[in-house]
C-alpha cells in the first residue's frame, strides 16, 4: 500500500509539473518582434508577432482610438496625428497571457499656415512638397478649384495658375482608397493669360499679341518664342506663319511677361496648327453687333481663312428670331439682326455643286447699345478751342433702326450735338466753352410706323452717360478712348447673357421681396454688393432645404461658411444632379429680372440679373455650394451594442448615455468619428456566457481550479451578442446603410453609401473594462 501511495503521489507531481511547464511555455511563446513603428493617417500596419499559437485567441486594445484603431487581427489603422499604445494579450487553454505593449506614432500631412492665403502669377505652379508639411510620399493629393478658369490642379497635387482672378483651392489626400481634406488655400492670381491653348493659323498670315492674350498690362513687356522658326516666327507684338506649306504642321509658342517691377514669369505655351484647309478664324468666332446690323463672310464680318476660289458660303443661324437669313444670288448669305440674344451660326462651303459643312461655328450676340467701358469709367478730356473733337459714336452696338442724340448737364461748360458725313449719321460732336466737368447723356429714339394705319410712334430712352472734362486752351488730353479697342467689353458672351435671349433658362420667379423694401438702383451702384440685388436664396434638393448667405460685402452668394450664416450642402451630395429648378431666389427690387442661372462644375453657379436701368446693366453674382465635412451626427443617432443582457449606447450628442462606464469622447459622434468601442465588465461577459475572464473574477475562490469550465467559451462562441444602429436622417445624401457584420463578435463593421458614389465605413469593437469590475 505504501508503494502504491508513493506511485500516486509521484504521478500527481508529474501531472502538476507538466501542467505548470505547459503554462510556462505558453506564457513565453508569443513575443513582439519590435515594440514601435510610425505610419501615416489611413495607413495600415500589422503588429509583428513571433511564436503565435494556433489555438490561441489574441486580443488587441488601443488606448487612443481617435489616433489609431486596431482590429482583432492586430492590423492598426492610422486615424489622426499623435501616438497610441496597443495592448496585446491572448487566451490559450483557458488562461490569459500578456504579450506586451506596442507603440504606434501617426504622422499627418497638413497645410503650411503661410499658404492659407497666397498670390500667384499666371503660368506659375505650386507643388505639394512646398505647400504641405509632413507630406506622405505614397499618397495622392487631389486639387479642386472653385473657379477652374483661374487655377486648376489634378491628382498630382500641383496647382497651376491660369488666369487673373480669385479662387478657393481645396486639397484632399487619398491614401489606401480613403480620402481626407487637408486644407484650403485662398488664391489670388494676377498677370496676363492665354486666351486659348491651341489655335489654327493659315500659312502666310500674322496674328497680333492682343488677339492671343487676356489681361495685358500697359506697364508690362511681353516676349513670344517659337520652338520652330521655320514654321512660325515671333516678335514682341505678333506671330507670323511660314509663307507656304502643305497639310497641317504644328509648333509651340511660349509667352513670357515682365512686370513693371522687373519680375519675369512664363505665362504658358499655346499650340499653333498651320493649315492650308478652310477654317473660321478664331478671332471672329464671337461676334458682337447691334440691332439691324448685317453680317456676312468678309473682312468686316465672319473671316474665313484659306477660302477656296469660286466657293460660296452659306450662313445658317440656329435661332431665327435673333438673325434673319437673306439669300442673294451669286453672293454669300447675309444675316440681319432682328432680335436681341445669342445664337450660333453654322457655315457651309459650296463649290462645284458640292457642299461641305465647316468644322467650327460662330457665336453671334445681338446686344442693346451701351456706353464704351473706357469712356464710362474714365470720361473724356478736351481743351477750349478744339471743336468737333469726338466725331464718332461714344457707344457700342448701335441700333441701326434708331437715332441718337446727346445732352449736356452743363451746356455753359460744353455743348454737344450730332453730325456726320451723311445726313443719317449721328456722331457725337463736342463744343467746349469753359473749364469744368459735366455729364453727357446719350439717348436712343426708335421710330415705328404702322403700315396699315399710317401712324407713327416714337420711343426715347437713355442708354447711359459719361463725364467730359474741359481743360484750358492748349492742354493736351491725357486720355483719349478708342471705340472698339481690345479691352472693350462684350456683353452677351456665355458669361454675361443678354436680355431677351430666347434659349436662356430661367429659375422659378419668386414673389418680389415680401415684407421688405426695394433697394434702389442708386444704392446698388454706390455699394455693389449681392445683398442689394438678392434678398434671399435657398436650395431645395433631396427633400431638404438649404439656406444661402447673400454677401453684403461683395458680389457673391455662399452655401456653407464657418460663421453659420448659411447651410453647408450634405456630405456625399452629387452636385452634378442639382438643377436650376432646385433654387429659389428672391430679388431685392421688383423691377429687376432674372436673365440666367448657369452651372460651372456643379459647386459653382453664376446668376445673371438685369437691373433694367438706363444703362441696361446686367450683373453677375457667383453662387458657391460648399460640401459639409463628414459628420456622424447627421447619419446616426445611436449605436447599440448588446452582450447578453448588458447594453451599451454610443450616443449622438446630446443623446444621454445610458451607462457612464467608459463613456469618454471615443464613444461620442464628435468630429465625424467612425470607430467606436463598447466596454463591458468581466462579470457582464460571464453573465452572457463567456468564460474569457473567469480567472479574473474567481481568482480568490479557493475552489477556482476545480470550477473552471471544461469547454471555455469566448464572445465568438455566443449567439446573444449584437450591434445595431438608429438613423438620424440628417444627411439627405445618404443612399443606403448596410447591416453591421462581424466574424468574431469582437469587431463589427457596416458601410454608408452616399449619393455621389463614395462610401464610409464604421467600426465598433467590444472591449473589457477590467478595472473596478
Amino acid at each position: 500500500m505504501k508503494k502504491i501511495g508513493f506511485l500516486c503521489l509521484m504521478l500527481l507531481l508529474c501531472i502538476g509539473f507538466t501542467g505548470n511547464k505547459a503554462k510556462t511555455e505558453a506564457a513565453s511563446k508569443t513575443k513582439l518582434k519590435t515594440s514601435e513603428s510610425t505610419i501615416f493617417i489611413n495607413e495600415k500596419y500589422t503588429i509583428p508577432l513571433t511564436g503565435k499559437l494556433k489555438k490561441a485567441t489574441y486580443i488587441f486594445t488601443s488606448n487612443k482610438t481617435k489616433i489609431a484603431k486596431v482590429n482583432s487581427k492586430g492590423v492598426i489603422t492610422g486615424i489622426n496625428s499623435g501616438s497610441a499604445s496597443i495592448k496585446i494579450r491572448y487566451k490559450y487553454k483557458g488562461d490569459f497571457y500578456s504579450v506586451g505593449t506596442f507603440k504606434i506614432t501617426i504622422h499627418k500631412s497638413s497645410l503650411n499656415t503661410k499658404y492659407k492665403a497666397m498670390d500667384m502669377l499666371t503660368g506659375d505652379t505650386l507643388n505639394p512638397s512646398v505647400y504641405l508639411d509632413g507630406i506622405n510620399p505614397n499618397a495622392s493629393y487631389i486639387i479642386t478649384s472653385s473657379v477652374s478658369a483661374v487655377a486648376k490642379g489634378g491628382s498630382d497635387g500641383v496647382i497651376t495658375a491660369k488666369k487673373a482672378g480669385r479662387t478657393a483651392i481645396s486639397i484632399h489626400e487619398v491614401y489606401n482608397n480613403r480620402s481626407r481634406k487637408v486644407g484650403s488655400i485662398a488664391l489670388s492670381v494676377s498677370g496676363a493669360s492665354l486666351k486659348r491653348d491651341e489655335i489654327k493659323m493659315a500659312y502666310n498670315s500674322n496674328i497680333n499679341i492682343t488677339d492671343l492674350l487676356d489681361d495685358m498690362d500697359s506697364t508690362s513687356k511681353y516676349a513670344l518664342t517659337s520652338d520652330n522658326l521655320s514654321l512660325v516666327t515671333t516678335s514682341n507684338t505678333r506671330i507670323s506663319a511660314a509663307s507656304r506649306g502643305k497639310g497641317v504642321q504644328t509648333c509651340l509658342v511660349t509667352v513670357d511677361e515682365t512686370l513693371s517691377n522687373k519680375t519675369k514669369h512664363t505665362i504658358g505655351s499655346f499650340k499653333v496648327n498651320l493649315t492650308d484647309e478652310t477654317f473660321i478664324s478664331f478671332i471672329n468666332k464671337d461676334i458682337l453687333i447691334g440691332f439691324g446690323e448685317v453680317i456676312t463672310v468678309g473682312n468686316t464680318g465672319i473671316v474665313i481663312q484659306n477660302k477656296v476660289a469660286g466657293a460660296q458660303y452659306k450662313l445658317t443661324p440656329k435661332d431665327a428670331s435673333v438673325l434673319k437669313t437673306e439669300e442673294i444670288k451669286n453672293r454669300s448669305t447675309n444675316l440681319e439682326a432682328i432680335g436681341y440674344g445669342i445664337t450660333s451660326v453654322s457655315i457651309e462651303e459650296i463649290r462645284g455643286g458640292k457642299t461641305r459643312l465647316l468644322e467650327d461655328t460662330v457665336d453671334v450676340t445681338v446686344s442693346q447699345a451701351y456706353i464704351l467701358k473706357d469712356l464710362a469709367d474714365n470720361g473724356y478730356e478736351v481743351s477750349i478751342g478744339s471743336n468737333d473733337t469726338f466725331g464718332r459714336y461714344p457707344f457700342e452696338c448701335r441700333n441701326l433702326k434708331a437715332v441718337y442724340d446727346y445732352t449736356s448737364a452743363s451746356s455753359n461748360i460744353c455743348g454737344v450735338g450730332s453730325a456726320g458725313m451723311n445726313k443719317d449719321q449721328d456722331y457725337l460732336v463736342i463744343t467746349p466753352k469753359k473749364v469744368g466737368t459735366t455729364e453727357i447723356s446719350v439717348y436712343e429714339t426708335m421710330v415705328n410706323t404702322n403700315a396699315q394705319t399710317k401712324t407713327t410712334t416714337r420711343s426715347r430712352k437713355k442708354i447711359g452717360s459719361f463725364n467730359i472734362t474741359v481743360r484750358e486752351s492748349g492742354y493736351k488730353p491725357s486720355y483719349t478712348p478708342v471705340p472698339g479697342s481690345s479691352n472693350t467689353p462684350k456683353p452677351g458672351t456665355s458669361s454675361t447673357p443678354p436680355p431677351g435671349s430666347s434659349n436662356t433658362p430661367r429659375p422659378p420667379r419668386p414673389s418680389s421681396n415680401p415684407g421688405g423694401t426695394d433697394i434702389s438702383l442708386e444704392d446698388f451702384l454706390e455699394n455693389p454688393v449681392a445683398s442689394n440685388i438678392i434678398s434671399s436664396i435657398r436650395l431645395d434638393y433631396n427633400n431638404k432645404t438649404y439656406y444661402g448667405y447673400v454677401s453684403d460685402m461683395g458680389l457673391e452668394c455662399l452655401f456653407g461658411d464657418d460663421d453659420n450664416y448659411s447651410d453647408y450642402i450634405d456630405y456625399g451630395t452629387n452636385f452634378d444632379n442639382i438643377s436650376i429648378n432646385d433654387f429659389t431666389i428672391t430679388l431685392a427690387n421688383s423691377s429687376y429680372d432674372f436673365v440666367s442661372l448657369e452651372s460651372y462644375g456643379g459647386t459653382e453657379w453664376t446668376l445673371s440679373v438685369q437691373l433694367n436701368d438706363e444703362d441696361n446693366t446686367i450683373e453677375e453674382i457667383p453662387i458657391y455650394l460648399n460640401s459639409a465635412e463628414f459628420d456622424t451626427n447627421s447619419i446616426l443617432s445611436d449605436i447599440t451594442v448588446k452582450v447578453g443582457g448588458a447594453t451599451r449606447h454610443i450616443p449622438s450628442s446630446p443623446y444621454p448615455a445610458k451607462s457612464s462606464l467608459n463613456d469618454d469622447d471615443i464613444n461620442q459622434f464628435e468630429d465625424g468619428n467612425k470607430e467606436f468601442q463598447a466596454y463591458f465588465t468581466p462579470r457582464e461577459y460571464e453573465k452572457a456566457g463567456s468564460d474569457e475572464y473567469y480567472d479574473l473574477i474567481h481568482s480568490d475562490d479557493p475552489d477556482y481550479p476545480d470550477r473552471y469550465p471544461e469547454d471555455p467559451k469566448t464572445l465568438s462562441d455566443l449567439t446573444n451578442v449584437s450591434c445595431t444602429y438608429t438613423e438620424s436622417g440628417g444627411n439627405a445624401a445618404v443612399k443606403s446603410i448596410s447591416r453591421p457584420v462581424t466574424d468574431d463578435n469582437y469587431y463589427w463593421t457596416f458601410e454608408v453609401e452616399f449619393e455621389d458614389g463614395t462610401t464610409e465605413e464604421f467600426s465598433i469593437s467590444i472591449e473589457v473594462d477590467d478595472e473596478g469590475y
Side-chain angles (χ1 to χ4, degrees), residues 278-440:
T278 305
F279 68 95
I280 303 168
S281 171
F282 73 88
I283 300 172
N284 299 91
K285 284 187 179 179
D286 296 286
I287 297 177
L288 177 68
I289 60 175
F291 190 90
E293 286 191 54
V294 175
I295 60 173
T296 187
V297 174
N299 292 334
T300 58
I302 298 174
V303 177
I304 296 179
Q305 300 286 338
N306 297 327
K307 288 196 296 184
V308 178
Q312 295 291 314
Y313 295 91
K314 181 181 179 181
L315 311 181
T316 304
K318 183 177 182 180
D319 190 345
S321 67
V322 176
L323 295 176
K324 177 183 177 182
T325 305
E326 180 184 3
E327 296 281 357
I328 301 177
K329 186 178 181 180
N330 296 326
R331 291 187 57 190
S332 304
T333 304
N334 287 351
L335 298 177
E336 180 184 357
I338 61 171
Y340 295 110
I342 306 174
T343 184
S344 61
V345 176
S346 58
I347 303 172
E348 292 177 308
E349 182 182 72
I350 305 169
R351 182 175 182 269
K354 295 182 178 181
T355 300
R356 182 174 71 92
L357 182 66
L358 297 189
E359 180 181 358
D360 299 322
T361 60
V362 175
D363 289 330
V364 177
T365 300
V366 181
S367 172
Q368 299 187 29
Y370 62 94
I371 302 298
L372 294 168
K373 186 177 186 303
D374 287 344
L375 196 60
D377 291 344
N378 302 307
Y380 188 72
E381 293 182 341
V382 296
S383 60
I384 295 175
S386 59
N387 295 336
D388 299 338
T389 53
F390 206 84
R392 56 186 181 271
Y393 295 121
F395 52 86
E396 194 78 87
C397 296
R398 180 177 185 265
N399 184 341
L400 297 184
K401 308 295 184 180
V403 294
Y404 294 85
D405 63 284
Y406 316 93
T407 62
S408 172
S410 300
S411 57
N412 60 335
I413 293 177
C414 81
V416 290
S418 58
M421 298 297 294
N422 302 315
K423 64 178 183 179
D424 61 339
Q425 289 180 332
D426 39 29
Y427 295 143
L428 171 64
V429 177
I430 302 171
T431 304
K433 297 179 179 180
K434 71 174 186 178
V435 174
T437 300
T438 183
E439 181 184 52
I440 307 300

Side-chain angles (χ1 to χ4, degrees), residues 195-209:
K195 286 188 175 182
R196 291 171 176 82
D197 294 327
E198 186 172 356
I199 65 170
K200 285 183 181 178
M201 189 175 184
Y203 291 102
N204 197 30
S205 65
N206 302 306
I207 299 177
N208 292 328
I209 192 172

Side-chain angles (χ1 to χ4, degrees), residues 495-568:
S495 60
T496 313
S501 176
S502 60
N503 58 357
T504 301
R506 293 174 180 265
R509 178 69 183 267
S511 59
S512 59
N513 197 17
T517 304
D518 282 353
I519 302 296
S520 69
L521 180 62
E522 289 75 13
D523 289 341
F524 168 73
L525 295 177
E526 290 181 3
N527 185 24
V529 295
S531 59
N532 281 349
I533 299 179
I534 300 173
S535 175
S536 65
I537 181 171
R538 79 169 192 256
L539 173 68
D540 294 284
Y541 183 67
N542 280 343
N543 297 316
K544 185 174 181 179
T545 297
Y546 307 89
Y547 291 95
Y549 166 65
V550 182
S551 175
D552 56 3
M553 300 180 64
L555 281 174
E556 67 175 4
C557 296
L558 189 68
F559 281 83
D561 61 10
D562 293 335
D563 297 322
N564 296 320
Y565 288 133
S566 60
D567 296 331
Y568 283 95

Side-chain angles (χ1 to χ4, degrees), residues 14-15 32 63 127 167 174 181 188 242 261 354 423 438 447 450 453 506 520 540 584-585 609 686 688 705 724 761:
C14 288
I15 293 172
L32 279 166
N63 71 331
N127 291 306
T167 184
V174 180
K181 187 174 182 180
S188 178
N261 62 3
K354 295 182 178 181
K423 64 178 183 179
T438 183
V447 179
N450 190 308
T453 62
R506 293 174 180 265
S520 69
D540 294 284
T584 300
I585 302 170
V609 177
E686 185 179 53
T724 59
E761 183 182 271

Side-chain angles (χ1 to χ4, degrees), residues 583-596:
F583 290 91
T584 300
I585 302 170
T586 303
L587 298 181
N589 191 305
S590 58
S591 66
Y592 296 166
D593 284 316
F594 288 99
V595 175
S596 70

Side-chain angles (χ1 to χ4, degrees), residues 45-64:
Y45 180 87
T46 302
I47 297 175
L49 298 177
T50 61
K52 291 186 68 174
L53 303 173
K54 290 184 178 180
K55 295 184 178 181
T57 300
Y58 288 84
I59 303 167
F60 303 86
T61 307
S62 172
N63 71 331
K64 296 179 181 178

Side-chain angles (χ1 to χ4, degrees), residues 10 30 40 151 224 434 580 591:
M10 291 300 295
T30 303
F40 283 93
L224 304 167
K434 71 174 186 178
I580 61 172
S591 66

